[in-house]
C-alpha cells in the first residue's frame, strides 16, 4: 500500500467525521451513503437486522438523524476492526437495554480492543517480513 493509498483511506475516515449533520437535520439514505461510504444496500441491511432503527416520513422514505449517522460511522469502524455482525447485534441489544448494560458494553469493547491490538501487532510483524523480502529483491521499502 503506497502512502497515497493510506492517505486516501484516512481521508475518507476524516471526511466521515467532518460530514456529521447539524443537530435537527435529517438526511436521505443516499446522503448517508455518500457521506459515510457505506452503501445504501448495507444501510438497508443494517436496518433489517436491527442495527439501525431509522424513522420514516409520510411517504415512507428514511430520515436519518445525527444520531443515526453517528451509529452508522461507529458500526462501520467496528466492522473495519473485524467485529462480526453477530457481535454488533449483541452490542446494539445492550445499548437498547439502557444504562444498566454499560458495564457489559465496556467489557465487550475492552475485549474487542485487545483483539484489535493483537491483530495490529501480528500485522506489523507480517509487514516487516514483507518489507524484508522487498529489500531482498532490490526494492525500496516505505518509511
Amino acid at each position: 500500500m503506497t502512502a497515497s493509498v493510506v492517505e486516501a483511506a484516512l481521508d475518507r475516515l476524516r471526511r466521515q467525521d467532518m460530514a456529521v449533520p447539524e443537530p435537527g437535520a435529517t438526511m436521505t439514505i443516499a446522503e448517508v451513503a455518500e457521506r459515510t461510504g457505506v452503501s445504501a444496500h448495507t444501510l438497508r441491511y443494517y436496518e433489517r437486522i436491527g442495527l439501525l432503527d431509522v424513522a420514516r416520513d409520510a411517504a415512507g422514505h428514511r430520515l436519518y438523524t445525527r444520531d443515526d449517522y453517528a451509529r452508522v460511522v461507529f458500526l462501520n469502524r467496528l466492522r473495519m476492526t473485524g467485529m462480526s455482525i453477530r457481535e454488533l447485534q449483541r452490542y446494539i441489544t445492550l445499548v437498547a437495554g439502557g444504562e444498566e448494560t454499560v458495564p457489559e458494553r465496556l467489557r465487550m469493547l475492552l475485549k474487542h480492543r485487545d483483539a484489535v491490538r493483537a491483530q495490529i501487532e501480528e500485522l506489523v510483524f507480517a509487514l516487516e517480513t514483507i518489507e524484508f523480502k522487498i529489500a531482498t529483491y532490490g526494492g525500496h521499502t516505505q518509511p
Side-chain angles (χ1 to χ4, degrees):
M1 197 180 292
T2 64
S4 62
V5 173
V6 172
E7 271 307 308
L10 291 174
D11 187 52
R12 181 179 58 84
L13 295 173
R14 288 184 197 108
R15 282 194 316 268
Q16 285 179 345
D17 289 341
M18 294 172 52
V20 175
E22 294 296 321
T26 59
M27 294 178 298
T28 66
I29 193 168
E31 290 169 322
V32 172
E34 182 179 334
R35 288 183 184 203
T36 64
V38 177
S39 72
H41 174 79
T42 298
L43 293 170
R44 287 188 290 273
Y45 172 68
Y46 283 180
E47 190 175 354
R48 190 170 63 250
I49 65 170
L51 295 177
L52 294 172
D53 184 19
V54 181
R56 308 251 180 167
D57 65 14
H61 298 124
R62 290 168 177 85
L63 296 174
Y64 287 83
T65 65
R66 182 183 178 100
D67 288 343
D68 296 326
Y69 181 88
R71 179 170 284 186
V72 169
V73 169
F74 183 65
L75 293 171
N76 183 52
R77 293 190 183 168
L78 288 176
R79 288 293 291 148
M80 288 172 55
T81 64
M83 184 175 276
S84 71
I85 292 293
R86 182 166 288 159
E87 289 173 302
L88 288 175
Q89 287 173 311
R90 175 71 181 134
Y91 181 83
I92 295 303
T93 298
L94 289 171
V95 170
E99 289 297 313
E100 67 187 43
T101 69
V102 166
E104 191 170 351
R105 284 184 262 164
L106 177 59
R107 280 191 300 276
M108 185 179 189
L109 290 173
L110 288 169
K111 181 180 175 185
H112 186 68
R113 181 193 63 190
D114 290 346
V116 169
R117 285 181 172 167
Q119 182 181 17
I120 289 169
E121 290 299 318
E122 291 171 356
L123 289 171
V124 167
F125 186 81
L127 179 60
E128 289 168 354
T129 303
I130 293 167
E131 296 284 8
F132 173 79
K133 191 55 86 172
I134 289 170
T136 300
Y137 295 142
H140 300 287
T141 59
Q142 299 287 327

